Amino acid sequence: MNPSSYQSIHSANNQLEKPLLSKQMSGLRKHGAKIVVSFMFFVLVFTSFLVMGSNASSMHVAEASEGEQVVVVSSGDTLWSIASRLEGRKSSIGFMVFRIKDRNQLQSETITPGQKLIIPNN
């Protein structure tokens, strides 16, 4: 094969690729700012949800008033098990769970190990 013919074939392919490459680069330049701004917005929203989640778990740590006690939740504890340990009568365990939830401003009965709960006085 003649080296000059190779160059002519190679230069012909190169000339076809240049317009395609320049179109891609111009498209990237046009949309690059949009992509960067969208990415930054996503990061901002994602980190704000992380911050809100971490604040929500430790947001309410009120101090116990006189006659109340503080219980640290252990692994496997539930509001019902804590209430049954503290309240001897079976008929009032449900009411004690309600009072614990109300005193600690809990939205659900989900508690986590290490969480501090204020147990209202009788």
Side-chain angles (χ1 to χ4, degrees):
M1 181 170 219
N2 185 1
S4 63
S5 66
Y6 174 73
Q7 285 182 341
S8 65
I9 293 172
H10 182 63
S11 63
N13 282 342
N14 198 13
Q15 289 175 354
L16 291 176
E17 290 177 4
K18 282 185 181 178
L20 180 62
L21 185 60
S22 67
K23 285 181 183 179
Q24 289 175 343
M25 291 302 289
S26 68
L28 185 61
R29 275 188 234 117
K30 276 185 184 177
H31 300 294
K34 292 178 188 175
I35 292 169
V36 169
V37 169
S38 298
F39 179 74
M40 289 172 54
F41 178 75
F42 172 78
V43 169
L44 179 68
V45 169
F46 182 74
T47 54
S48 65
F49 279 122
L50 287 177
V51 169
M52 285 189 315
S54 65
N55 283 342
S57 63
S58 63
M59 186 169 43
H60 178 69
V61 181
E63 293 187 28
S65 61
E66 190 174 330
E68 295 180 326
Q69 63 184 28
V70 177
V71 173
V72 178
V73 177
S74 299
S75 180
D77 278 348
T78 63
L79 285 179
W80 288 89
S81 66
I82 293 170
S84 65
R85 279 195 309 249
L86 300 170
E87 188 66 45
R89 298 182 305 266
K90 294 281 185 194
S91 62
S92 60
I93 292 175
F95 184 64
M96 180 61 115
V97 169
F98 168 77
R99 290 179 58 209
I100 293 171
K101 281 178 59 176
D102 185 51
R103 175 63 176 95
N104 293 280
Q105 298 177 354
L106 300 175
Q107 300 299 317
S108 69
E109 293 182 13
T110 305
I111 54 176
T112 57
Q115 182 177 0
K116 292 180 182 179
L117 296 175
I118 298 173
I119 308 301
N121 55 4
N122 294 332

